[in-house]
Amino acid sequence: MDDITWEDPFCGEGASCFRLGTDQNGNGYIAIAGSEDDHLTDSRDALRRMIIDIKAGKADHLL
C-alpha cells in the first residue's frame, strides 16, 4: 500500500470531518476522519480540479 500523507481534518458543523491526502505516486485521497483505511482514490490532478470547482461554487447546489 502507498504511504499516504494526510492533511489535518476539515470539519464542518457536527461530526462531518474529512481528510485529504496524497502519495508519492501522484494519487489523491479523500476519507472521513477516523476511517482513513476506507478512502476514495483518484489522481492528484482530479483532487485539485475538485477542490477548484468546489471553491468556484460548482457544488453549492448540494448545500
Side-chain angles (χ1 to χ4, degrees):
M1 177 173 221
D2 299 316
D3 289 327
I4 302 170
T5 302
W6 291 103
E7 298 291 327
D8 290 337
F10 293 94
C11 298
E13 294 181 21
S16 57
C17 294
F18 295 89
R19 295 190 78 186
L20 302 176
T22 57
D23 67 18
Q24 294 298 317
N25 297 318
N27 297 310
Y29 301 86
I30 301 172
I32 295 171
S35 297
E36 288 80 359
D37 288 338
D38 189 24
H39 54 263
L40 173 71
T41 308
D42 206 329
S43 69
R44 195 176 292 190
D45 288 335
L47 178 61
R48 182 179 301 112
R49 172 58 33 205
M50 183 187 70
I51 293 168
I52 290 169
D53 287 349
I54 289 171
K55 289 174 74 174
K58 291 185 180 181
D60 287 356
H61 63 284
L62 299 172
L63 301 176

